[in-house]
């Protein structure tokens, strides 16, 4: 993608993501969302295949969904000040943007908790088992979800088909078979 520092490590499934990133996600609680960046084309359209970068008081979280069930979470690796390269066939080259109507209302707010959400609808569908990352702030929630081979940004209450796994610093306990402090209704 030509993004400086972006070296995704894609994982599949709630347990793999929780094991790899749960404790670090939990440690974000109490920090403020101080910045964000996503990739836009010159016409302003968001390129949803590229990672969404959130900055919590100097800790940068880089979330990218890929294919139908893969999720990469990176930490402090992407340089959003560096130009995006390798897009010679596209005029002009996409670039980092600090504007998004879904994320902007959360700027400056303190993060209450982070949860991983597993899509488990009552009827089987193609997205079943995908994992979203949810950031809960006082009175509202911001989610980065799998839009079936790209990122999607959502705010507000999650759809009822999600099972929520709250991330805590002690990931050894659970209410149901093993993630975070266990599932809670979305």
């Amino acid at each position: 993608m030509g993004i400086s520092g972006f070296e995704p490590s894609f994982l599949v499934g709630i347990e793999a993501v929780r094991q790899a990133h749960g404790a670090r996600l939990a440690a974000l609680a109490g920090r403020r969302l101080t910045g964000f960046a996503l990739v836009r084309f010159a016409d302003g359209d968001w390129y949803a295949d590229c990672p969404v970068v959130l900055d919590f008081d100097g800790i940068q979280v880089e979330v990218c969904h890929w294919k139908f069930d893969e999720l990469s979470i990176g930490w402090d690796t992407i340089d959003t000040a560096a130009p995006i390269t390798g897009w010679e066939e596209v005029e002009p080259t996409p670039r980092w943007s600090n504007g998004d109507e879904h994320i902007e209302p959360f700027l400056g707010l303190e993060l209450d908790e982070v949860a991983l959400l597993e899509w488990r609808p009552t009827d089987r569908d193609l997205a079943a088992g995908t994992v979203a990352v949810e950031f809960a702030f006082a009175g509202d929630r911001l989610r980065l979800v799998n839009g079936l081979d790209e990122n999607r940004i959502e705010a507000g209450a999650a759809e009822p088909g999600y099972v929520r796994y709250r991330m805590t610093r002690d990931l050894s306990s659970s209410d149901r078979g093993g993630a975070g402090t266990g599932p809670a209704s979305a």
Side-chain angles (χ1 to χ4, degrees), residues 17-28 75 167-171:
V17 176
R18 184 192 72 80
Q19 286 293 326
H21 301 288
R24 287 187 83 178
L25 289 169
L28 294 173
W75 299 90
M167 297 296 100
T168 64
R169 291 174 195 221
D170 173 19
L171 296 174

Side-chain angles (χ1 to χ4, degrees), residues 86-142:
W87 288 76
E88 289 74 25
E89 70 279 359
V90 177
E91 285 295 327
T93 298
R95 61 185 140 177
W96 288 105
S97 169
N98 301 110
D100 182 78
E101 64 187 23
H102 296 98
I103 301 174
E104 287 170 359
F106 296 94
L107 278 174
L109 297 181
E110 184 176 306
L111 183 64
D112 291 334
E113 75 174 13
V114 180
L116 296 176
L117 305 182
E118 182 179 27
W119 180 244
R120 288 288 171 208
T122 55
D123 294 329
R124 180 81 178 154
D125 71 15
L126 188 59
T130 60
V131 178
V133 183
E134 181 179 70
F135 302 92
F137 300 86
D140 209 353
R141 296 173 185 274
L142 173 68

Side-chain angles (χ1 to χ4, degrees), residues 1-180:
M1 291 185 184
I3 295 173
S4 178
F6 182 50
E7 295 183 21
S9 176
F10 290 102
L11 300 171
V12 176
I14 192 78
E15 188 60 22
V17 176
R18 184 192 72 80
Q19 286 293 326
H21 301 288
R24 287 187 83 178
L25 289 169
L28 294 173
R31 293 180 168 274
R32 294 192 181 283
L33 179 62
T34 53
F36 70 92
L38 40 83
V39 176
R40 293 196 181 276
F41 290 105
D43 64 4
D45 285 344
W46 173 37
Y47 185 45
D49 288 346
C50 293
V52 176
V53 178
L54 301 175
D55 188 300
F56 291 95
D57 287 327
I59 295 179
Q60 186 170 282
V61 182
E62 305 144 358
V63 178
C64 190
H65 290 90
W66 191 49
K67 296 187 180 179
F68 293 116
D69 59 356
E70 296 184 20
L71 170 61
S72 175
I73 298 175
W75 299 90
D76 299 313
T77 61
I78 294 175
D79 181 0
T80 61
I84 297 170
T85 61
W87 288 76
E88 289 74 25
E89 70 279 359
V90 177
E91 285 295 327
T93 298
R95 61 185 140 177
W96 288 105
S97 169
N98 301 110
D100 182 78
E101 64 187 23
H102 296 98
I103 301 174
E104 287 170 359
F106 296 94
L107 278 174
L109 297 181
E110 184 176 306
L111 183 64
D112 291 334
E113 75 174 13
V114 180
L116 296 176
L117 305 182
E118 182 179 27
W119 180 244
R120 288 288 171 208
T122 55
D123 294 329
R124 180 81 178 154
D125 71 15
L126 188 59
T130 60
V131 178
V133 183
E134 181 179 70
F135 302 92
F137 300 86
D140 209 353
R141 296 173 185 274
L142 173 68
R143 276 177 312 289
L144 303 178
V145 306
N146 189 318
L148 298 181
D149 197 30
E150 64 183 16
N151 296 295
R152 192 171 72 225
I153 301 170
E154 298 177 347
E159 293 190 34
Y162 280 113
V163 175
R164 176 177 287 112
Y165 297 83
R166 291 184 190 105
M167 297 296 100
T168 64
R169 291 174 195 221
D170 173 19
L171 296 174
S172 62
S173 63
S174 71
D175 292 339
R176 183 180 82 182

